[in-house]
Amino acid sequence: MPKPVVAAVQGAAAGFGLSLVLAADLALAAEDAVFTSGYIHLGTSPDGGMTATLARVVGLKQAAELMLLGDRFDARRALELGLVNRVVPADALAAEAAALAERLAAGPTHAYGRTKALLQATLGDAFDAQLRRETESFAACAATEDFAEGCGPFSKSAGPYSPGNEDTMRSDRRLWRAVLIALVGAGALSGCYYDAYTGYWRPYPWYYPMPGVIRITPTPPPPPPARSAGGIPPPPAGYPLSRDGSAPNAPVQRAPLPPPS
């Protein structure tokens, strides 16, 4: 979309939630916010454009560490990595995000859209192709035993309700929501692409070729050169001709010699 997007992060930004933070133009985080890619603990690869946006923000080495290890980190660490623009107290997050949104709304909205389109154009078509690759990789990982084992602990960790495990159940519900958002987001983004000129996500038309597939139409070989009645090929185009229309220095058809007597 051409409008600036402001993300206000409070609580856990895990999985696809972290992808949404990376996709926002500006991000504010509460001091108690927690971040993690989380996909590796489910036995699957990231999606939502994380492999493109995270590596672009923090670099390949840092992105590999965050995605392969899946460790949690706090808001201060997110600020150091460049994932968020500011860290504010938790009780002031809503007010700070609203003030920033009002400031943007009062600015040159048309210039905002053009600036966003130019920033997105620096990625070219590589981002759209990466979304497709992420969807294919996520689907392939979801069919493995590692994915089934990774999802198992989430369904068993909460246990029956009791007043003593409310925090655990609340944490598990947040992680499950992140998993569901990741699954839904993977399906939604698999059939759309980002239009850098308008700033909108658009669905792929049914006739659009898959990224990375080049359709080549074979070219038929040229026809053989025409020959005259005498078996001599005509002169090439632009070749100088004599007055009678024949090519100079062309072979002369002679009558066969009579047989010896």
Side-chain angles (χ1 to χ4, degrees), residues 3-237:
K3 301 179 180 64
V5 177
V6 178
V9 186
Q10 189 169 22
F16 196 79
L18 180 57
S19 298
L20 293 177
V21 175
L22 292 168
D25 300 302
L26 300 173
L28 307 180
E31 292 178 344
D32 59 352
V34 179
F35 301 81
T36 179
S37 64
Y39 289 98
I40 200 67
H41 301 301
L42 296 176
T44 185
S45 57
D47 69 345
M50 183 184 296
T51 56
T53 53
L54 184 59
R56 184 178 176 87
V57 172
V58 304
L60 289 176
K61 293 294 185 182
Q62 291 284 358
E65 179 181 353
L66 296 176
M67 289 186 285
L68 295 179
L69 300 182
D71 295 336
R72 297 186 180 187
F73 53 96
D74 57 10
R76 292 297 174 184
R77 178 60 175 163
L79 181 62
E80 294 174 0
L81 292 172
L83 304 182
V84 298
N85 300 96
R86 303 176 193 171
V87 175
V88 299
D91 55 356
L93 178 63
E96 290 286 342
L100 182 58
E102 292 176 359
R103 176 181 175 182
L104 292 171
T109 55
H110 183 76
Y112 289 155
R114 290 289 184 177
T115 302
K116 287 188 59 173
L118 290 172
L119 290 174
Q120 186 66 27
T122 60
L123 297 175
D125 297 332
F127 185 71
D128 301 332
Q130 189 70 2
L131 290 177
R132 293 272 184 166
R133 297 188 191 101
E134 286 185 346
T135 303
E136 295 172 359
S137 178
F138 190 96
C141 292
T144 62
E145 296 181 358
D146 292 338
F147 183 76
E149 294 177 0
C151 292
F154 292 101
S155 60
K156 299 177 182 178
S157 59
Y161 173 78
S162 65
N165 67 348
E166 291 181 354
D167 294 338
T168 302
M169 296 183 68
R170 188 179 298 109
S171 176
D172 291 336
R173 284 196 297 268
R174 289 175 180 173
L175 290 174
W176 265 114
R177 281 197 295 267
V179 173
L180 292 176
I181 292 174
L183 293 173
V184 174
L189 293 179
S190 63
C192 59
Y193 68 98
Y194 183 83
D195 188 349
Y197 295 98
T198 62
Y200 291 101
W201 290 95
R202 300 184 182 278
Y204 281 101
W206 61 270
Y207 56 83
Y208 192 83
M210 291 292 293
V213 178
I214 301 176
R215 299 181 178 179
I216 301 177
T217 304
T219 303
R227 293 183 175 272
S228 60
I232 301 176

